[in-house]
Amino acid sequence: MNPTEPTTVPAVSPDDLFGLVRETIADVLGTSPDVIVESTDLRTEYGIDSLEMMSIGAQLERALNVRIAAEDLMRAETVGQAVAFLAERRAGRS
């Protein structure tokens, strides 16, 4: 593969993106993905810290092939807002 050629990223539907985010969060926090919903506030409900958020961001970066700063994810108040941010990032709008 030529490093100057753009990498093609497979399309991910909003439901698939939410599922991926749920699975990743559940893996890092050691909980069931079923308890992670769009309105879940990870800071309030799980006391997530910056190291856990960096781990989530790193896993999502690899899965989505997109650069994600932990600070950007920390700005999201809910999982749904984080998913919206990731969808925009994948679409190249941020």
Side-chain angles (χ1 to χ4, degrees):
M1 182 163 132
N2 183 342
T4 59
E5 291 178 14
T7 303
T8 304
V9 178
V12 176
S13 75
D15 287 340
D16 290 343
L17 181 58
F18 178 66
L20 174 65
V21 171
R22 275 176 56 161
E23 292 285 334
T24 303
I25 291 169
D27 180 55
V28 170
L29 297 180
T31 190
S32 169
D34 297 337
V35 300
I36 307 294
V37 296
E38 287 189 27
S39 62
T40 299
D41 181 331
L42 296 175
R43 284 175 289 250
T44 300
E45 296 175 42
Y46 290 94
I48 195 167
D49 62 29
S50 59
L51 291 177
E52 290 167 322
M53 190 59 78
M54 285 174 31
S55 179
I56 291 167
Q59 287 185 36
L60 291 171
E61 275 186 342
R62 285 190 298 274
L64 298 171
N65 194 30
V66 65
R67 175 81 176 103
I68 304 165
E71 301 83 35
D72 291 338
L73 284 180
M74 290 295 283
R75 284 190 202 110
E77 293 182 16
T78 65
V79 172
Q81 289 174 353
V83 170
F85 161 76
L86 292 169
E88 288 176 2
R89 177 60 54 97
R90 282 186 49 86
R93 293 190 297 249
S94 60

